[in-house]
Amino acid sequence: ANDLGNKQVQVGHVLLENASPAGIDVKKRHLYLSDEDFTALFNMDKEKFEALPNWKKANAKKKHKLF
């Protein structure tokens, strides 16, 4: 389960480095993406992404400037 509530933001807002909307945990910006945006960006759903080893998740987030 996700503790982010109903907060979802558009890709453009999340990708802006150091400019995340108020109340967004910058360490978990990727989780605020809609399921559709997340899948388009990472080529997998959130469940598969979370099952990856931490180093793979970190590399993927860095690639998309979400880390």
Side-chain angles (χ1 to χ4, degrees):
N2 136 1
D3 61 350
L4 304 175
N6 292 326
K7 291 183 183 179
Q8 287 188 343
V9 294
Q10 294 176 352
V11 173
H13 293 291
V14 175
L15 294 179
L16 291 174
E17 293 181 53
N18 302 320
S20 294
I24 298 294
D25 181 345
V26 295
K27 293 180 181 179
K28 296 181 181 180
R29 289 190 285 183
H30 62 291
L31 297 178
Y32 291 96
L33 295 169
S34 69
D35 291 340
E36 295 80 19
D37 287 341
F38 188 96
T39 301
L41 199 61
F42 292 103
N43 295 315
M44 67 184 79
D45 62 29
K46 292 176 183 177
E47 186 175 317
K48 287 182 183 177
F49 182 83
E50 289 302 318
L52 293 173
N54 287 335
W55 67 271
K56 283 191 176 184
K57 290 189 283 191
N59 285 344
K61 291 190 291 185
K62 286 178 187 176
K63 176 181 176 183
H64 298 293
K65 299 180 181 170
L66 290 168
F67 192 51

